Amino acid sequence: MSTTEQSNTEQADKESSQSSEKTHFGYEEVRTEDKADRVAGVFHSVAGKYDLMNDLMSGGVHRLWKRFTIEVSGVRPGNKVLDIAGGTGDLAYKFSKLVGDTGQVILSDINSSMLNVGRDRLIDRGVNNNVQYAQLDAQFLPFADNTFDCVTIAFGLRNVTDKDMALRSILRVLKPGGRLLVLEFSKPQNSLLEKVYDQYSFRLLPFMGKMITNDADSYRYLAESIRMHPDQDTLKGMMDTAGFANTEFYNMTGGIVALHKGIKP
Amino acid sequence: MDPSISAAITASIESIINTALKYDPASKQKIAEINDVLAIESTAPALTIYCHGTSDGVRIMSHCEAPTATQLTGTPLALISLLKKPTTLAGSGVELAGSVGLLQRWQSILNNLDIDWEDAISSVLGDIAGPMAGKIISSGLSWSKQQGSEQTHKLKEYITEELKVTPSKAELVAFGDTVNEIKMDAERLQARFTELVRKTQKNAPTNNKDAQE
């Protein structure tokens, strides 16, 4: 077999294998290569009213979760920060104030609609000196090794197709001593709270989505994707496996949300 | 404590302080120059908050990655009373660790706070009703402060002079002086007695010897 033929065969095998690989899209199993498009569809649909829905769904508590994330980040003037899946720029806005004129914040999202909303919002709030915007995939970060002091991904990791690949990619772009913060829905630590939370997620949430964005399916996906996301200990293990050191997590609101922290050795 | 709750507490405190500081730009500017972190630890409920100055006013946190320059530890009541009587920590029930200078800077700012109530109210009620309401609030605060002081004085007099359940300050001082005098007399007597015993013991063998001879 010639080299060209061998290469073509390998490519065909890879494509065949890829097309047969499955991943989760909520409770639904989809082909791996289709997940990004399906997720993109969800966020294109909700981008315009994302903030309103966040406030309604969490009763405003998402601001407290993000506030705590900022505190744990330890970001100082002059730092370089990458906010992945930054959505409407809540974290990026705070980081831009903390890093000052000598620092840099990159607000990124895989979804153009979300990124546009975030960019408009930050510009409207007068942030224009130290924030750049990038549409990117967390699995393939287009930055040099050892670039950032801090990388955050808030409510985004569960939508990434290959989470392990994204964690390795983040580790690569962090400076040694830099930290990753993953803010994500997790597993409630109390069985009663879990039951109430289930009722809320699968009954009230899609209803609210229907009323406000006329899109119940996207919010049903949100609830399902939260259940399919790794729990606290599993995600910590994934970060350890990716190569992070001193990994730990903080449960918030009874474990409904957890903040994971890992340091690049 | 769940980080959501502690974050809610610190967010509320921060919001209240920074809203007030909008109407005292001089204090706000002084606070902006404080970069060192002050930690305030309440023992019950167990909660530590961290604060330092920023260009927006005060930043209050429930978690701090930066090193703290000064830490105050005590019950919430003791910590609050420290704000009212900033001159000394003695007997306040508050423990201090780290730099005293940072604490003094904060206390100096707190003592010199001068909130422009007229401006604050005007931003809500408008330029006509605002200043009037502001003046009423300012004079009301001044009146209540004066009345509070007078009422405290009258209450003290009633308890000591009318009810006679506690001694007056002069009586207490005189009693303290008397106790001190008795204490000193007792110490002198003790010293004389000790000296007498020592002399007696010293002379005792000689006397016995003379008697035998």
Side-chain angles (χ1 to χ4, degrees):
Chain A
M1 190 185 285
S2 70
T3 313
T4 315
E5 281 173 333
Q6 193 176 1
S7 171
N8 286 342
T9 310
E10 280 176 2
Q11 182 67 25
D13 285 349
K14 195 177 170 187
E15 281 174 8
S16 161
S17 149
Q18 212 172 35
S19 63
S20 62
E21 278 180 19
K22 298 279 186 183
T23 189
H24 295 287
F25 176 76
Y27 286 163
E28 195 182 335
E29 272 208 337
V30 296
R31 291 192 306 167
T32 302
E33 59 269 34
D34 291 344
K35 176 164 177 175
D37 288 340
R38 298 285 297 272
V39 172
V42 168
F43 284 93
H44 282 307
S45 165
V46 302
K49 290 183 177 168
Y50 187 76
D51 277 345
L52 176 65
M53 276 304 290
N54 271 350
D55 276 333
L56 280 174
M57 287 184 321
S58 69
V61 180
H62 74 102
R63 294 176 194 280
L64 300 175
W65 298 331
K66 288 170 184 167
R67 183 185 173 92
F68 186 69
T69 305
I70 298 278
E71 289 175 1
V72 175
S73 76
V75 165
R76 301 188 300 274
N79 281 175
K80 287 184 82 170
V81 181
L82 172 64
D83 182 18
I84 300 173
T88 50
D90 283 345
L91 290 180
Y93 176 70
K94 296 281 185 190
F95 283 136
S96 79
K97 292 198 156 210
L98 290 176
V99 301
D101 291 336
T102 53
Q104 186 186 27
V105 179
I106 294 182
L107 170 60
S108 70
D109 205 297
I110 195 170
N111 188 282
S112 60
S113 300
M114 293 295 292
L115 194 59
N116 284 337
V117 172
R119 181 173 56 186
D120 290 348
R121 206 168 144 222
L122 290 195
I123 291 170
D124 288 347
R125 297 174 86 174
V127 179
N128 59 1
N129 57 335
N130 57 7
V131 180
Q132 274 81 46
Y133 306 89
Q135 186 179 355
L136 52 78
D137 186 337
Q139 299 166 110
F140 311 100
L141 294 173
F143 301 104
D145 296 0
N146 309 323
T147 302
F148 296 101
D149 298 285
C150 179
V151 175
T152 55
I153 177 165
F155 305 114
L157 190 63
R158 71 176 187 283
N159 298 315
V160 175
T161 307
D162 188 337
K163 296 171 185 64
D164 295 312
M165 185 188 278
L167 290 173
R168 287 195 300 272
S169 181
I170 291 168
L171 185 73
R172 184 184 62 77
V173 300
L174 270 172
K175 289 177 185 173
R179 64 184 62 190
L180 163 66
L181 296 172
V182 181
L183 180 64
E184 190 54 270
F185 290 104
S186 207
K187 187 174 168 54
Q189 299 298 292
N190 176 302
S191 56
L192 181 65
L193 178 65
E194 193 170 12
K195 280 176 188 163
V196 173
Y197 181 53
D198 275 347
Q199 291 298 313
Y200 170 76
S201 307
F202 290 106
R203 291 181 188 273
L204 194 58
L205 205 61
F207 174 73
M208 285 162 71
K210 174 81 177 161
M211 296 302 288
I212 293 165
T213 63
N214 197 26
D215 182 4
D217 290 342
S218 292
Y219 286 93
R220 191 168 296 111
Y221 161 73
L222 176 71
E224 291 176 3
S225 65
I226 290 168
R227 297 308 184 282
M228 298 307 293
H229 186 68
D231 66 13
Q232 287 90 331
D233 289 319
T234 310
L235 181 55
K236 182 178 179 297
M238 287 166 70
M239 288 172 69
D240 287 333
T241 307
F244 286 94
N246 299 333
T247 52
E248 58 181 330
F249 61 83
Y250 303 87
N251 280 321
M252 292 192 267
T253 320
I256 288 176
V257 162
L259 176 67
H260 282 73
K261 182 175 90 172
I263 308 288
K264 178 171 179 175
Chain B
M1 186 181 287
D2 191 296
S4 311
I5 297 170
S6 53
I9 293 169
T10 53
S12 306
I13 298 171
E14 185 182 284
S15 173
I16 291 167
I17 294 175
N18 288 337
T19 304
L21 282 176
K22 277 184 193 170
Y23 303 102
D24 185 1
S27 297
K28 188 177 174 182
Q29 195 178 346
K30 283 180 194 163
I31 287 171
E33 292 163 8
I34 300 179
N35 296 318
D36 293 333
V37 178
L38 169 69
I40 302 170
E41 184 187 356
S42 153
T43 47
L47 172 70
T48 305
I49 62 171
Y50 306 85
C51 57
H52 68 87
T54 71
S55 57
D56 292 333
V58 183
R59 185 177 181 207
I60 311 266
M61 298 171 285
S62 58
H63 179 99
C64 184
E65 294 284 318
T68 55
T70 306
Q71 174 146 351
L72 293 173
T73 308
T75 62
L77 278 178
L79 289 165
I80 290 167
S81 65
L82 187 67
L83 298 177
K84 290 180 184 170
K85 294 175 186 172
T87 48
T88 177
L89 287 174
S92 64
V94 175
E95 287 178 21
L96 180 140
S99 157
V100 179
L102 178 63
L103 183 63
Q104 286 171 337
R105 285 178 78 184
W106 278 107
Q107 285 174 335
S108 163
I109 292 167
L110 283 172
N111 289 338
N112 295 315
L113 266 181
D114 183 20
I115 308 292
D116 185 350
W117 290 105
E118 284 186 31
D119 192 14
I121 303 295
S122 295
S123 63
V124 180
L125 297 181
D127 290 338
I128 297 171
M132 287 168 65
K135 273 179 190 166
I136 291 168
I137 288 176
S138 294
S139 52
L141 284 174
S142 163
W143 181 82
S144 63
K145 201 174 175 181
Q146 190 188 340
Q147 285 300 308
S149 171
E150 273 180 27
Q151 293 308 321
T152 309
H153 182 69
K154 282 177 183 169
L155 189 65
K156 272 183 193 168
E157 274 191 356
Y158 177 71
I159 291 170
T160 54
E161 303 299 331
E162 300 293 329
L163 294 180
K164 295 199 181 296
V165 289
T166 60
S168 68
K169 192 176 177 183
E171 284 172 330
L172 195 65
V173 170
F175 177 74
D177 288 347
T178 309
V179 169
N180 270 340
E181 261 177 49
I182 293 171
K183 181 172 169 272
M184 286 168 73
D185 287 348
E187 283 172 358
R188 281 194 205 102
L189 189 62
Q190 173 73 38
R192 281 182 188 172
F193 181 73
T194 309
E195 180 62 18
L196 195 62
V197 168
R198 193 185 63 78
K199 277 183 183 173
T200 310
Q201 284 175 345
K202 193 179 172 185
N203 295 333
T206 318
N207 292 341
N208 287 342
K209 201 176 174 184
D210 291 347
Q212 279 174 359
E213 284 172 356

